[in-house]
């Protein structure tokens, strides 16, 4: 009932924005304008948007190597994001960090992380700081299914439960850790099953249903804010593209990928908004056209931004 038309249209806009950003990054990478690698979240947009929609503006998040969508949903600026990926001085990390290390402290994004599970202890520490400061903030921790077998994941959940920290752990289970299927790497059937070991609620949600994600995360966030401790949520979703740009994607069948494309979270939400008369086709078309302009303007901004000079290229890289 708390989802207004304005908020629903915001969620549609953000999902479409993430999709278009990721597809443009894919194009720019193939054009040799982005170096290193990128981990794209095409197909997973509903999890990032639904979860972050459940936060207050000053709540915090930690992200993953597949973090573009988290940054955008938390209020990240497209020009600075493209500039960072293109290695320009105007990027979030002055072009030194690239895709896996974008952070935006002003919006509460404590940063993406190139280490699997690396954001989990950071989120736990941020939640501990909030509890000690009594600032009322909640930290939302994104992590992938591959991280649930890392020791630091278990250490963090244990201490968060023991100290009743205001943190929500959200697993984006896209069914593969690189090329290894979840069923071949994890002893339990669901990541959410791990919650029982640490005396916290565990819940599974359809990660391609943006409103379902919103409601599940909102309940966990409210619980954390009341001082009742952490929760573990598992969003079942799927990445349409390879793990990274070096992934030949030979471990999945075309039929499997196509089956998940039929569950596209953006098409699904558009249909819902129109069928329930929340928005018209014209309103949604207008949003998409606005996003297209913003994306192209952001790319031009990045292209026209300066590269770091040789004299200060190591600034901020070494302590």
């Amino acid at each position: 009932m708390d989802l207004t038309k304005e908020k629903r249209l915001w969620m549609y806009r953000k999902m479409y924005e993430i999709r278009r950003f990721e597809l443009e990054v894919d194009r720019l990478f193939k054009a040799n304008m982005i170096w290193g690698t990128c981990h794209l979240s095409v197909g997973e947009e509903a999890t990032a948007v639904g979860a972050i929609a459940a936060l207050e503006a000053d709540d915090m998040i930690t992200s993953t190597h597949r973090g573009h969508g988290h940054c955008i949903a938390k209020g990240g600026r497209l020009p600075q994001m493209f500039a960072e990926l293109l290695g320009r001085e105007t990027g979030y990390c002055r072009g030194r960090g690239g895709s896996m290390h974008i952070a935006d402290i002003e919006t509460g994004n404590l940063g993406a992380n190139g280490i699997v599970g690396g954001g989990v202890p950071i989120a736990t520490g941020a939640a501990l700081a909030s509890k000690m400061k009594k600032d009322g903030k909640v930290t939302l921790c994104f992590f992938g299914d591959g991280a649930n077998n890392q020791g630091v994941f278990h250490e963090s959940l244990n201490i968060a439960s023991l100290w009743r920290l205001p943190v929500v752990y959200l697993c984006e289970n896209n069914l593969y850790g690189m090329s290894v299927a979840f069923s071949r790497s994890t002893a339990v059937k669901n990541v959410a099953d791990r919650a029982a070991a640490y005396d916290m609620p565990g819940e599974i949600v359809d990660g391609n249903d943006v409103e379902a994600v919103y409601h599940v995360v909102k309940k966990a966030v409210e619980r954390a804010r009341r001082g009742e401790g952490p929760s573990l949520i598992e969003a079942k979703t799927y990445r349409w593209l390879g793990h990274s740009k070096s992934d030949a994607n030979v471990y999945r069948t075309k039929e499997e990928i196509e089956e998940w494309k039929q569950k596209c979270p953006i098409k699904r939400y558009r249909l819902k908004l129109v069928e329930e008369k929340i928005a018209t086709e014209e309103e949604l078309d207008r949003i998409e056209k606005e996003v297209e302009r913003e994306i192209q303007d952001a790319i031009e901004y990045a292209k026209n931004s300066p590269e770091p000079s040789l004299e200060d290229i190591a600034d901020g890289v070494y302590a």
Side-chain angles (χ1 to χ4, degrees), residues 189-224:
K189 184 178 180 181
N190 306 293
V191 174
D193 297 342
R194 305 274 199 200
Y198 303 109
D199 190 28
M200 67 176 71
E203 194 156 353
I204 299 169
V205 65
D206 179 353
N208 283 15
D209 183 337
V210 68
E211 291 194 11
V213 173
Y214 168 82
H215 289 298
V216 168
V217 174
K218 187 172 179 62
K219 181 173 70 173
V221 167
E222 289 175 346
R223 178 178 184 273

mmCIF file of all heavy atoms in Angstrom, residues 189-224:
data_model
loop_
_atom_site.group_PDB
_atom_site.id
_atom_site.type_symbol
_atom_site.label_atom_id
_atom_site.label_comp_id
_atom_site.label_asym_id
_atom_site.label_seq_id
_atom_site.Cartn_x
_atom_site.Cartn_y
_atom_site.Cartn_z
ATOM 1 N N LYS A 189 20.415 -26.218 -0.273
ATOM 2 C CA LYS A 189 19.614 -25.960 -1.472
ATOM 3 C C LYS A 189 19.478 -24.475 -1.736
ATOM 4 O O LYS A 189 19.437 -24.026 -2.886
ATOM 5 C CB LYS A 189 18.229 -26.601 -1.307
ATOM 6 C CG LYS A 189 17.364 -26.473 -2.549
ATOM 7 C CD LYS A 189 16.024 -27.175 -2.349
ATOM 8 C CE LYS A 189 15.154 -27.043 -3.600
ATOM 9 N NZ LYS A 189 13.836 -27.712 -3.415
ATOM 10 N N ASN A 190 19.396 -23.674 -0.674
ATOM 11 C CA ASN A 190 19.204 -22.231 -0.786
ATOM 12 C C ASN A 190 20.186 -21.498 0.115
ATOM 13 O O ASN A 190 20.472 -21.956 1.226
ATOM 14 C CB ASN A 190 17.777 -21.842 -0.374
ATOM 15 C CG ASN A 190 16.722 -22.610 -1.137
ATOM 16 O OD1 ASN A 190 16.560 -22.454 -2.340
ATOM 17 N ND2 ASN A 190 15.995 -23.460 -0.424
ATOM 18 N N VAL A 191 20.652 -20.344 -0.335
ATOM 19 C CA VAL A 191 21.505 -19.512 0.507
ATOM 20 C C VAL A 191 20.749 -19.101 1.772
ATOM 21 O O VAL A 191 21.315 -19.039 2.865
ATOM 22 C CB VAL A 191 21.993 -18.263 -0.254
ATOM 23 C CG1 VAL A 191 22.755 -17.313 0.665
ATOM 24 C CG2 VAL A 191 22.886 -18.666 -1.431
ATOM 25 N N ALA A 192 19.456 -18.848 1.634
ATOM 26 C CA ALA A 192 18.642 -18.418 2.780
ATOM 27 C C ALA A 192 18.617 -19.461 3.887
ATOM 28 O O ALA A 192 18.375 -19.132 5.057
ATOM 29 C CB ALA A 192 17.225 -18.092 2.327
ATOM 30 N N ASP A 193 18.885 -20.721 3.541
ATOM 31 C CA ASP A 193 18.917 -21.776 4.563
ATOM 32 C C ASP A 193 20.033 -21.536 5.577
ATOM 33 O O ASP A 193 19.977 -22.051 6.700
ATOM 34 C CB ASP A 193 19.117 -23.143 3.907
ATOM 35 C CG ASP A 193 17.966 -23.533 2.988
ATOM 36 O OD1 ASP A 193 16.886 -22.927 3.108
ATOM 37 O OD2 ASP A 193 18.154 -24.435 2.146
ATOM 38 N N ARG A 194 21.056 -20.780 5.189
ATOM 39 C CA ARG A 194 22.176 -20.491 6.086
ATOM 40 C C ARG A 194 21.736 -19.659 7.300
ATOM 41 O O ARG A 194 22.421 -19.644 8.330
ATOM 42 C CB ARG A 194 23.245 -19.700 5.344
ATOM 43 C CG ARG A 194 23.766 -20.329 4.053
ATOM 44 C CD ARG A 194 24.869 -21.291 4.330
ATOM 45 N NE ARG A 194 25.680 -21.564 3.149
ATOM 46 C CZ ARG A 194 26.456 -22.626 3.020
ATOM 47 N NH1 ARG A 194 26.528 -23.511 3.993
ATOM 48 N NH2 ARG A 194 27.181 -22.808 1.920
ATOM 49 N N ALA A 195 20.623 -18.952 7.176
ATOM 50 C CA ALA A 195 20.185 -18.041 8.242
ATOM 51 C C ALA A 195 19.946 -18.767 9.557
ATOM 52 O O ALA A 195 20.213 -18.235 10.637
ATOM 53 C CB ALA A 195 18.918 -17.309 7.810
ATOM 54 N N ALA A 196 19.454 -20.010 9.493
ATOM 55 C CA ALA A 196 19.110 -20.753 10.704
ATOM 56 C C ALA A 196 20.326 -20.943 11.613
ATOM 57 O O ALA A 196 20.198 -20.948 12.833
ATOM 58 C CB ALA A 196 18.514 -22.099 10.330
ATOM 59 N N ALA A 197 21.505 -21.071 11.000
ATOM 60 C CA ALA A 197 22.714 -21.295 11.790
ATOM 61 C C ALA A 197 23.103 -20.068 12.606
ATOM 62 O O ALA A 197 23.857 -20.190 13.574
ATOM 63 C CB ALA A 197 23.867 -21.690 10.871
ATOM 64 N N TYR A 198 22.581 -18.909 12.213
ATOM 65 C CA TYR A 198 22.972 -17.663 12.878
ATOM 66 C C TYR A 198 21.787 -16.948 13.524
ATOM 67 O O TYR A 198 21.852 -15.753 13.797
ATOM 68 C CB TYR A 198 23.697 -16.751 11.873
ATOM 69 C CG TYR A 198 24.901 -17.460 11.290
ATOM 70 C CD1 TYR A 198 24.907 -17.895 9.982
ATOM 71 C CD2 TYR A 198 26.001 -17.761 12.096
ATOM 72 C CE1 TYR A 198 25.992 -18.590 9.462
ATOM 73 C CE2 TYR A 198 27.081 -18.457 11.598
ATOM 74 C CZ TYR A 198 27.078 -18.877 10.275
ATOM 75 O OH TYR A 198 28.145 -19.581 9.779
ATOM 76 N N ASP A 199 20.706 -17.705 13.753
ATOM 77 C CA ASP A 199 19.563 -17.207 14.510
ATOM 78 C C ASP A 199 19.035 -15.889 13.942
ATOM 79 O O ASP A 199 18.821 -14.920 14.660
ATOM 80 C CB ASP A 199 19.950 -17.030 15.981
ATOM 81 C CG ASP A 199 18.736 -16.751 16.868
ATOM 82 O OD1 ASP A 199 17.637 -17.199 16.503
ATOM 83 O OD2 ASP A 199 18.889 -16.063 17.895
ATOM 84 N N MET A 200 18.831 -15.872 12.637
ATOM 85 C CA MET A 200 18.245 -14.699 11.996
ATOM 86 C C MET A 200 17.224 -15.161 10.963
ATOM 87 O O MET A 200 17.289 -16.303 10.482
ATOM 88 C CB MET A 200 19.325 -13.838 11.332
ATOM 89 C CG MET A 200 20.024 -14.465 10.148
ATOM 90 S SD MET A 200 21.216 -13.335 9.354
ATOM 91 C CE MET A 200 22.519 -13.248 10.578
ATOM 92 N N PRO A 201 16.274 -14.300 10.588
ATOM 93 C CA PRO A 201 15.308 -14.672 9.561
ATOM 94 C C PRO A 201 15.994 -14.890 8.217
ATOM 95 O O PRO A 201 16.925 -14.167 7.854
ATOM 96 C CB PRO A 201 14.362 -13.465 9.498
ATOM 97 C CG PRO A 201 14.582 -12.722 10.764
ATOM 98 C CD PRO A 201 16.003 -12.965 11.153
ATOM 99 N N GLY A 202 15.531 -15.894 7.485
ATOM 100 C CA GLY A 202 16.005 -16.137 6.134
ATOM 101 C C GLY A 202 14.818 -16.213 5.199
ATOM 102 O O GLY A 202 13.834 -16.904 5.494
ATOM 103 N N GLU A 203 14.881 -15.503 4.104
ATOM 104 C CA GLU A 203 13.727 -15.458 3.202
ATOM 105 C C GLU A 203 14.181 -15.503 1.748
ATOM 106 O O GLU A 203 15.207 -14.918 1.395
ATOM 107 C CB GLU A 203 12.907 -14.188 3.459
ATOM 108 C CG GLU A 203 11.541 -14.217 2.825
ATOM 109 C CD GLU A 203 10.531 -13.300 3.511
ATOM 110 O OE1 GLU A 203 10.856 -12.734 4.576
ATOM 111 O OE2 GLU A 203 9.421 -13.154 2.975
ATOM 112 N N ILE A 204 13.413 -16.188 0.918
ATOM 113 C CA ILE A 204 13.673 -16.282 -0.520
ATOM 114 C C ILE A 204 12.647 -15.440 -1.247
ATOM 115 O O ILE A 204 11.464 -15.437 -0.893
ATOM 116 C CB ILE A 204 13.587 -17.747 -0.994
ATOM 117 C CG1 ILE A 204 14.639 -18.604 -0.282
ATOM 118 C CG2 ILE A 204 13.769 -17.840 -2.504
ATOM 119 C CD1 ILE A 204 14.452 -20.091 -0.494
ATOM 120 N N VAL A 205 13.101 -14.723 -2.285
ATOM 121 C CA VAL A 205 12.196 -13.879 -3.053
ATOM 122 C C VAL A 205 12.522 -14.002 -4.536
ATOM 123 O O VAL A 205 13.671 -14.281 -4.909
ATOM 124 C CB VAL A 205 12.292 -12.399 -2.595
ATOM 125 C CG1 VAL A 205 13.673 -11.811 -2.898
ATOM 126 C CG2 VAL A 205 11.204 -11.546 -3.228
ATOM 127 N N ASP A 206 11.527 -13.814 -5.367
ATOM 128 C CA ASP A 206 11.713 -13.783 -6.821
ATOM 129 C C ASP A 206 12.486 -12.515 -7.165
ATOM 130 O O ASP A 206 11.944 -11.419 -7.111
ATOM 131 C CB ASP A 206 10.348 -13.797 -7.517
ATOM 132 C CG ASP A 206 10.453 -13.745 -9.035
ATOM 133 O OD1 ASP A 206 11.567 -13.573 -9.569
ATOM 134 O OD2 ASP A 206 9.399 -13.865 -9.701
ATOM 135 N N GLY A 207 13.745 -12.650 -7.512
ATOM 136 C CA GLY A 207 14.590 -11.497 -7.787
ATOM 137 C C GLY A 207 14.254 -10.763 -9.064
ATOM 138 O O GLY A 207 14.840 -9.705 -9.334
ATOM 139 N N ASN A 208 13.326 -11.292 -9.860
ATOM 140 C CA ASN A 208 12.898 -10.608 -11.080
ATOM 141 C C ASN A 208 11.567 -9.880 -10.900
ATOM 142 O O ASN A 208 11.020 -9.334 -11.853
ATOM 143 C CB ASN A 208 12.787 -11.609 -12.245
ATOM 144 C CG ASN A 208 14.149 -11.984 -12.807
ATOM 145 O OD1 ASN A 208 15.171 -11.734 -12.178
ATOM 146 N ND2 ASN A 208 14.169 -12.581 -13.979
ATOM 147 N N ASP A 209 11.067 -9.867 -9.681
ATOM 148 C CA ASP A 209 9.824 -9.168 -9.357
ATOM 149 C C ASP A 209 10.177 -7.989 -8.452
ATOM 150 O O ASP A 209 10.394 -8.154 -7.251
ATOM 151 C CB ASP A 209 8.863 -10.123 -8.648
ATOM 152 C CG ASP A 209 7.504 -9.490 -8.342
ATOM 153 O OD1 ASP A 209 7.425 -8.242 -8.272
ATOM 154 O OD2 ASP A 209 6.537 -10.237 -8.154
ATOM 155 N N VAL A 210 10.238 -6.795 -9.016
ATOM 156 C CA VAL A 210 10.761 -5.639 -8.293
ATOM 157 C C VAL A 210 9.943 -5.303 -7.051
ATOM 158 O O VAL A 210 10.504 -4.943 -6.008
ATOM 159 C CB VAL A 210 10.887 -4.419 -9.230
ATOM 160 C CG1 VAL A 210 9.523 -3.894 -9.679
ATOM 161 C CG2 VAL A 210 11.692 -3.301 -8.587
ATOM 162 N N GLU A 211 8.637 -5.438 -7.123
ATOM 163 C CA GLU A 211 7.816 -5.120 -5.959
ATOM 164 C C GLU A 211 7.925 -6.190 -4.881
ATOM 165 O O GLU A 211 7.900 -5.875 -3.681
ATOM 166 C CB GLU A 211 6.359 -4.902 -6.369
ATOM 167 C CG GLU A 211 6.167 -3.627 -7.201
ATOM 168 C CD GLU A 211 4.706 -3.202 -7.328
ATOM 169 O OE1 GLU A 211 3.852 -3.766 -6.604
ATOM 170 O OE2 GLU A 211 4.431 -2.308 -8.147
ATOM 171 N N ALA A 212 8.063 -7.445 -5.270
ATOM 172 C CA ALA A 212 8.256 -8.506 -4.281
ATOM 173 C C ALA A 212 9.563 -8.284 -3.524
ATOM 174 O O ALA A 212 9.613 -8.422 -2.298
ATOM 175 C CB ALA A 212 8.256 -9.873 -4.969
ATOM 176 N N VAL A 213 10.613 -7.924 -4.246
ATOM 177 C CA VAL A 213 11.899 -7.628 -3.600
ATOM 178 C C VAL A 213 11.740 -6.461 -2.639
ATOM 179 O O VAL A 213 12.223 -6.503 -1.492
ATOM 180 C CB VAL A 213 12.986 -7.311 -4.652
ATOM 181 C CG1 VAL A 213 14.277 -6.843 -3.972
ATOM 182 C CG2 VAL A 213 13.267 -8.530 -5.525
ATOM 183 N N TYR A 214 11.063 -5.416 -3.083
ATOM 184 C CA TYR A 214 10.857 -4.232 -2.242
ATOM 185 C C TYR A 214 10.214 -4.602 -0.907
ATOM 186 O O TYR A 214 10.693 -4.200 0.158
ATOM 187 C CB TYR A 214 9.980 -3.223 -2.991
ATOM 188 C CG TYR A 214 9.464 -2.101 -2.123
ATOM 189 C CD1 TYR A 214 10.262 -1.000 -1.840
ATOM 190 C CD2 TYR A 214 8.183 -2.149 -1.577
ATOM 191 C CE1 TYR A 214 9.797 0.027 -1.028
ATOM 192 C CE2 TYR A 214 7.713 -1.129 -0.776
ATOM 193 C CZ TYR A 214 8.523 -0.035 -0.500
ATOM 194 O OH TYR A 214 8.059 0.975 0.303
ATOM 195 N N HIS A 215 9.138 -5.379 -0.946
ATOM 196 C CA HIS A 215 8.391 -5.684 0.278
ATOM 197 C C HIS A 215 9.204 -6.560 1.233
ATOM 198 O O HIS A 215 9.177 -6.335 2.452
ATOM 199 C CB HIS A 215 7.062 -6.342 -0.069
ATOM 200 C CG HIS A 215 6.074 -5.408 -0.691
ATOM 201 N ND1 HIS A 215 5.586 -4.301 -0.033
ATOM 202 C CD2 HIS A 215 5.494 -5.401 -1.922
ATOM 203 C CE1 HIS A 215 4.742 -3.650 -0.828
ATOM 204 N NE2 HIS A 215 4.670 -4.293 -1.972
ATOM 205 N N VAL A 216 9.923 -7.535 0.690
ATOM 206 C CA VAL A 216 10.723 -8.416 1.544
ATOM 207 C C VAL A 216 11.867 -7.642 2.192
ATOM 208 O O VAL A 216 12.126 -7.780 3.399
ATOM 209 C CB VAL A 216 11.261 -9.605 0.721
ATOM 210 C CG1 VAL A 216 12.323 -10.368 1.508
ATOM 211 C CG2 VAL A 216 10.124 -10.544 0.341
ATOM 212 N N VAL A 217 12.551 -6.816 1.408
ATOM 213 C CA VAL A 217 13.666 -6.041 1.951
ATOM 214 C C VAL A 217 13.170 -4.992 2.937
ATOM 215 O O VAL A 217 13.784 -4.759 3.981
ATOM 216 C CB VAL A 217 14.495 -5.395 0.817
ATOM 217 C CG1 VAL A 217 15.568 -4.456 1.387
ATOM 218 C CG2 VAL A 217 15.143 -6.468 -0.041
ATOM 219 N N LYS A 218 12.042 -4.366 2.641
ATOM 220 C CA LYS A 218 11.501 -3.339 3.540
ATOM 221 C C LYS A 218 11.210 -3.923 4.919
ATOM 222 O O LYS A 218 11.504 -3.299 5.951
ATOM 223 C CB LYS A 218 10.233 -2.723 2.941
ATOM 224 C CG LYS A 218 9.716 -1.527 3.745
ATOM 225 C CD LYS A 218 8.580 -0.833 3.029
ATOM 226 C CE LYS A 218 8.054 0.342 3.836
ATOM 227 N NZ LYS A 218 9.092 1.386 4.044
ATOM 228 N N LYS A 219 10.651 -5.120 4.946
ATOM 229 C CA LYS A 219 10.364 -5.768 6.235
ATOM 230 C C LYS A 219 11.658 -6.006 7.020
ATOM 231 O O LYS A 219 11.721 -5.760 8.227
ATOM 232 C CB LYS A 219 9.643 -7.100 5.985
ATOM 233 C CG LYS A 219 9.282 -7.844 7.259
ATOM 234 C CD LYS A 219 8.425 -9.069 6.959
ATOM 235 C CE LYS A 219 9.222 -10.145 6.250
ATOM 236 N NZ LYS A 219 8.460 -11.409 6.095
ATOM 237 N N ALA A 220 12.702 -6.440 6.318
ATOM 238 C CA ALA A 220 13.980 -6.701 6.977
ATOM 239 C C ALA A 220 14.648 -5.408 7.442
ATOM 240 O O ALA A 220 15.251 -5.362 8.526
ATOM 241 C CB ALA A 220 14.906 -7.457 6.023
ATOM 242 N N VAL A 221 14.531 -4.368 6.634
ATOM 243 C CA VAL A 221 15.113 -3.069 6.996
ATOM 244 C C VAL A 221 14.420 -2.508 8.234
ATOM 245 O O VAL A 221 15.072 -2.002 9.159
ATOM 246 C CB VAL A 221 15.016 -2.081 5.816
ATOM 247 C CG1 VAL A 221 15.325 -0.648 6.259
ATOM 248 C CG2 VAL A 221 15.972 -2.494 4.704
ATOM 249 N N GLU A 222 13.102 -2.601 8.284
ATOM 250 C CA GLU A 222 12.358 -2.098 9.439
ATOM 251 C C GLU A 222 12.721 -2.885 10.695
ATOM 252 O O GLU A 222 12.848 -2.307 11.790
ATOM 253 C CB GLU A 222 10.859 -2.174 9.160
ATOM 254 C CG GLU A 222 10.400 -1.154 8.113
ATOM 255 C CD GLU A 222 8.942 -1.313 7.740
ATOM 256 O OE1 GLU A 222 8.347 -2.372 8.084
ATOM 257 O OE2 GLU A 222 8.391 -0.397 7.087
ATOM 258 N N ARG A 223 12.909 -4.170 10.547
ATOM 259 C CA ARG A 223 13.320 -5.001 11.679
ATOM 260 C C ARG A 223 14.691 -4.561 12.189
ATOM 261 O O ARG A 223 14.897 -4.415 13.406
ATOM 262 C CB ARG A 223 13.357 -6.472 11.241
ATOM 263 C CG ARG A 223 13.812 -7.437 12.321
ATOM 264 C CD ARG A 223 13.779 -8.875 11.804
ATOM 265 N NE ARG A 223 14.133 -9.799 12.876
ATOM 266 C CZ ARG A 223 15.376 -10.159 13.184
ATOM 267 N NH1 ARG A 223 16.385 -9.674 12.477
ATOM 268 N NH2 ARG A 223 15.608 -11.000 14.167
ATOM 269 N N ALA A 224 15.616 -4.352 11.276
ATOM 270 C CA ALA A 224 16.964 -3.920 11.658
ATOM 271 C C ALA A 224 16.933 -2.557 12.339
ATOM 272 O O ALA A 224 17.628 -2.327 13.338
ATOM 273 C CB ALA A 224 17.864 -3.872 10.423
#
